[in-house]
Amino acid sequence: MSDDFGMSGDDLEQMYQEVILEAARDPHGKAHFAPDLAKEGDTAVESSLDQGEASVRQQHEYCETGQSHQFNPTCGDEATIRVEVSKDEPHRIKLLEWDGHGCSISQASLSVMTDLVEGKTVEEAMSLGAIFHKLMESRGKGLADDAENEQLEDAVVFQGVSKYPMRIKCALLGWEGMKDAVAKALASQDKTSTGEAD
């Protein structure tokens, strides 16, 4: 059986795997700013992460920074996602970077997500996150809506991952972190604008 590209399902699967491996080998947005996350029992590290003290530095004065630490115990994937969200409306993700380690799927998903959402408005980024979740719920069938497939750009390669429930968490790790980090940045902006800052 062939698809619209004239490729068999096996050929497409192989192409998707190659794209994922390439994105994992050369990850976009990866930086080194988080504490050594491999020391899972280190209470000082856990305490600083809980308090958001993991060296969060703002690069732009007109932005608010948010950071989220995500851990997938099933696979051992771990990532800290940091975003800078513009203070002006519409709020825009001016910078997205991440630090962490894990399987090829989690690393590739973080890389592709960075390319996809950096520079987008928060509303656009959340919409892309919802579409990616929908793709992960497709059980390998993909999205029926061509417009949604186009919006996901390279992220559609994770369609094959959605066949494997244990791997879905790997692909979603960065997306969950991005949503949480953006929410924290926006909450911090609200506190600042209402004079509730510490």
Side-chain angles (χ1 to χ4, degrees):
M1 181 176 162
S2 295
D3 71 355
D4 294 339
F5 300 109
M7 300 173 84
S8 71
D10 289 342
D11 290 341
L12 268 179
E13 186 83 18
Q14 183 176 352
M15 182 186 78
Y16 289 166
Q17 288 174 1
E18 288 171 12
V19 171
I20 289 171
L21 289 173
E22 179 57 34
R25 273 193 295 268
D26 181 24
H28 298 174
K30 186 164 186 176
H32 299 287
F33 59 84
D36 184 0
L37 304 176
K39 298 177 184 173
E40 201 51 40
D42 188 340
T43 54
V45 169
E46 290 173 7
S47 169
S48 73
L49 285 172
D50 290 342
Q51 297 169 16
E53 296 171 1
S55 65
V56 177
R57 290 183 310 278
Q58 227 164 265
Q59 294 185 7
H60 303 102
E61 62 190 49
Y62 52 87
C63 290
E64 194 66 53
T65 301
Q67 181 168 297
S68 177
H69 177 72
Q70 301 290 313
F71 177 64
N72 175 8
T74 307
C75 194
D77 304 319
E78 201 163 1
T80 301
I81 296 88
R82 179 167 62 195
V83 297
E84 286 188 14
V85 178
S86 66
K87 292 180 181 178
D88 56 327
E89 302 265 349
H91 297 298
R92 191 171 291 279
I93 298 174
K94 292 290 192 178
L95 175 74
L96 187 150
E97 58 186 359
W98 57 275
D99 192 1
H101 57 87
C103 68
S104 294
I105 292 170
S106 70
Q107 302 291 281
S109 184
L110 280 155
S111 177
V112 169
M113 179 195 69
T114 299
D115 289 343
L116 200 53
V117 304
E118 194 172 56
K120 297 277 196 302
T121 66
V122 166
E123 185 177 346
E124 290 167 336
M126 294 305 121
S127 175
L128 288 166
I131 296 169
F132 190 77
H133 265 270
K134 191 173 169 183
L135 178 69
M136 289 297 99
E137 294 167 358
S138 75
R139 299 182 187 261
K141 294 177 185 159
L143 300 171
D145 186 334
D146 288 340
E148 289 181 337
N149 280 313
E150 283 182 32
Q151 287 177 61
L152 283 183
E153 298 177 15
D154 287 347
V156 297
V157 302
F158 293 93
Q159 174 182 327
V161 172
S162 70
K163 294 179 196 174
Y164 309 101
M166 298 300 283
R167 308 306 284 175
I168 292 171
K169 288 181 181 178
C170 305
L172 288 174
L173 182 83
W175 290 89
E176 293 301 319
M178 180 271 296
K179 288 192 318 190
D180 186 44
V182 166
K184 288 176 178 176
L186 292 174
S188 183
Q189 284 184 17
D190 288 344
K191 282 183 182 178
T192 302
S193 66
T194 59
E196 296 175 24
D198 296 332

